[in-house]
Amino acid sequence: MAAPLTLLLILAVTIRAALYRSSLADLIAERVEVVSPLTAWKRVVEGLALLDLGVSPYAGDVFHETPLIIYLFHFLVDYAEITFMVTDVITAVALYLAVKDYNKQVFRKQKYALEAERYPLDCLELIRSPKEMYYIPLKVAMFYLLNPFTILSCVAKSTCGLNNAVIALFILTTIKGNVLLSAIFLSLATYQSIYPLTLCAPALLYLTQRQYIPVNFRRFSFWWFVAQYAFMYLGSLFVMICLSFFLLGSWDYLPSVYGFILSVPDLTPNIGLFWYFFAEMFEHFRLFFLCVFQINIFFYTIPLSIKLKEHPVFLIFMQLAVISIFKSYPTVGDIALYLAFLPVWSHLHRFLRNIFLVSCVLLACSALFPVLWHLWIYAGSANSNFYYAITLLFNVAQVGRTVTETKVHLAASVSGFVYRSCCLTVT
């Protein structure tokens, strides 16, 4: 498998290097679907310019990335293109190794279930063969590296790629069962954009299952493990926040980064749901609906964790989808990360309802984004309603696909990895 993965990495890097040298690079870097006020490379350059002049990069209203990012690129700004390509490679390799290890566990449990004759004869076709599972990690890496959304994000030098790399490393260390590194990478992801905080629940569920600790609120062992993980997570987050303070010498970055994410002052159009809604909002209603929109992202964690407590890896996929749909400043790079996990459950795709229609809607919306933007901004023959309509349809299609995936996964999973054909009729 090393040779195909190496060829895939070479192909992915070649495509990105060619696009960096083309005239499309500057055009892609300006696309509102690819970059946001948080992740735009030109804003990082502005922040670096202020830092070089001895001025705080957060003095104005331009730079909203975290201090560790700007100090990272303070040393790597001349190698930015290589940095972003390496970041994508790290993400893909981390996802490859994570899914490979996860498939080993799935195959082991599936083998024990077969030996115990826990599978009905009429649903043996749902059992994944070793050959099928062998190629799934490579497909996951391919889905990430060759996804046009990932390529566009890398060519635009969007810092979303760095966030994806941190989350991928968090997933890898969690599946490997390394509690300390899992907590560290999760705290780093939270430090970057707040919303990965919701991934704490699936991480705890997976790690407790891996260490054979029952998820029982009355058991001391469960709460002791939660306390240990919370201590490592909060401790790592505290260290990063304090390190940022020592680098800058002030707390200016807190309102400029986290306040910016939560209060959504910049209503530049993007593929999210916030900008149009709050552009039309009366000011005295703004705070209430801002709280509703932000709480919406975190609210789904509780019911999803209860329903998917036996399937924490699928819960990670669901949480990534929820974050990419409902966060305040989403980009196509966020979508690319959770789409990479689709091959993991490819054996259930035949039961997805309206999968062809939803896929066509996603493709059509992706193609119409630049068209409607041109009609609105340059031709003047359309307005913001046209662009937001296609944005809304794009997100509805994502929600539809995610909900269908969840229904089929729950219907196919009766107990652990035991599949029963009578449960596969999804209404």
Side-chain angles (χ1 to χ4, degrees), residues 37 44 130 318 355:
V44 175
M318 285 295 301
I355 182 63

Side-chain angles (χ1 to χ4, degrees), residues 9 23 27 58 93 160 165 187 196 233 266 327 358 367 380 391 419 423:
L9 296 177
S23 59
L27 176 63
Y58 303 100
V93 173
C160 175
S187 64
Y233 168 73
D266 192 324
K327 68 187 296 187
V358 172
T391 299
Y419 300 101
C423 297

Side-chain angles (χ1 to χ4, degrees), residues 336-350:
L337 182 61
Y338 86 83
L339 288 180
F341 282 91
L342 292 180
V344 178
W345 300 282
S346 57
H347 64 295
L348 298 177
H349 287 177
R350 75 187 83 168

Side-chain angles (χ1 to χ4, degrees), residues 26-43:
D26 293 334
L27 176 63
I28 294 171
E30 297 293 330
R31 294 304 312 169
V32 294
E33 301 88 6
V34 182
V35 297
S36 72
L38 282 170
T39 63
W41 175 247
K42 65 179 181 180
R43 292 181 179 246

Side-chain angles (χ1 to χ4, degrees), residues 107-142:
F107 182 74
R108 191 181 305 117
K109 293 182 180 180
Q110 183 177 272
K111 181 180 178 182
Y112 292 155
L114 280 172
E115 292 175 352
E117 297 182 352
R118 296 173 61 193
Y119 284 94
L121 294 177
D122 56 352
C123 71
L124 291 178
E125 62 176 353
L126 291 175
I127 298 174
R128 286 170 283 183
S129 64
K131 182 178 180 180
E132 179 186 1
M133 298 179 72
Y134 181 76
Y135 289 103
I136 287 177
L138 183 63
K139 291 178 182 178
V140 169
M142 185 183 301

Side-chain angles (χ1 to χ4, degrees), residues 40 42 101 136 144 155 166 181 188 200 212 283 346 348 401:
K42 65 179 181 180
D101 195 74
I136 287 177
Y144 185 79
V155 174
V166 173
L181 288 179
L188 183 56
C200 188
Y212 304 102
E283 192 62 31
S346 57
L348 298 177
R401 168 142 197 157

